[in-house]
Amino acid sequence: MIVHFPQKTKVLEFVCSGLKDVPGISRAEFIIFDEDREGLPVAEAQENVVQIPMKLKGFDHGKLLLFVSDMSVFSPYLPFLQNLGNMLAVVFEERRQRERNDKIMGELEERVQKRTEELSLEVSERRQAEIALRASEERFRKSIESSSFGIAMTGLDGKFLLANQALCQMFGYSSEELLVKTFADVTHPEDVSKSIDRLQKLVNGEITSFDDEKRYLQKDGSIIWASLKVSTV
């Protein structure tokens, strides 16, 4: 049974059309067929048929049929045409490879585009989260600063990290002066040991907060009593 070759029809039609201009050829046809070769085109009485194998990928039983009206004129061109099958096989394989490469590149571009959009969204979300965090920190800082109660934050080493205006006024230090000190520096010497012990329990996770009353030293050396509440954050 003879069938047409759908994927390569246009190229093969072009080749067959061009072969008509070869001296001695009246027409050319490309076919693929079953192994029994049933149904091959019938040549006219005055024509000789030259069959050139065309082993294109996936079709082992392909033939280029050249209907020759004058064999003596055609004969010089036969060696070249016998290589035509191999030449076309190379051309079609290169085209198949280009199509595969184009498909791979297209898929890669889609993946890159998708990942770019995902990254853009992640960056946008992260930026929004950072803005929200800064806004939250700013609100927290303002609430501390505007409080009428003395509020401070210290590191695990006891050094002041933040002190509001009310606390600075209570101790008689400026913010800059207080932030280079530790809580022990402004605690009465007799209360330092107890304060350090409780701080160590906070650091060790034995407690999460505690309340106390103790003596503090102001900048001028005066002693003041204060109630305090300490917790980890």
Side-chain angles (χ1 to χ4, degrees), residues 137-150:
E137 291 174 344
E138 183 62 22
R139 288 194 298 271
F140 176 69
R141 186 177 297 276
K142 286 182 177 179
S143 66
I144 290 177
E145 187 60 35
S146 61
S147 174
S148 58
F149 295 97

Side-chain angles (χ1 to χ4, degrees), residues 150 163-176 178:
N164 69 352
Q165 189 61 32
L167 190 71
C168 292
Q169 291 176 352
M170 184 174 72
F171 290 141
Y173 291 102
S174 67
S175 176
E176 292 76 12
L178 199 56

Side-chain angles (χ1 to χ4, degrees), residues 204-223:
N204 294 339
E206 299 176 34
I207 57 176
T208 58
S209 65
F210 66 86
D211 297 325
D212 196 10
E213 285 190 2
K214 70 174 188 177
R215 291 164 290 181
Y216 285 100
L217 297 178
Q218 294 181 312
K219 184 177 181 179
D220 62 6
S222 301
I223 299 173

Side-chain angles (χ1 to χ4, degrees), residues 23-24 47-50 66 68-76 78:
E47 292 178 323
N48 295 304
V49 180
V50 176
L66 303 177
V68 181
S69 58
D70 190 334
M71 187 61 72
S72 61
V73 176
F74 168 73
S75 294
L78 183 57

Side-chain angles (χ1 to χ4, degrees), residues 15-16 19-20 22 24-30 43 47-52 63-69 71 74 77-78 81-82 84:
V15 171
C16 291
L19 288 174
K20 292 188 299 183
V22 176
I25 295 180
S26 58
R27 59 193 172 100
E29 221 176 296
F30 178 80
E47 292 178 323
N48 295 304
V49 180
V50 176
Q51 300 184 19
I52 298 178
K63 292 282 187 183
L64 178 61
L65 303 181
L66 303 177
F67 297 86
V68 181
S69 58
M71 187 61 72
F74 168 73
Y77 299 96
L78 183 57
L81 294 176
Q82 286 175 333
L84 185 60

Side-chain angles (χ1 to χ4, degrees), residues 125-141:
E125 291 175 347
R126 185 175 301 175
R127 184 179 295 113
Q128 291 176 1
E130 290 174 351
I131 293 173
L133 178 60
R134 286 197 295 269
S136 177
E137 291 174 344
E138 183 62 22
R139 288 194 298 271
F140 176 69
R141 186 177 297 276

Side-chain angles (χ1 to χ4, degrees), residues 111-123:
R111 291 170 60 185
V112 170
Q113 177 65 26
K114 182 179 179 181
R115 186 54 184 152
T116 300
E117 292 174 354
E118 291 174 349
L119 288 173
S120 177
L121 180 60
E122 290 175 9
V123 170

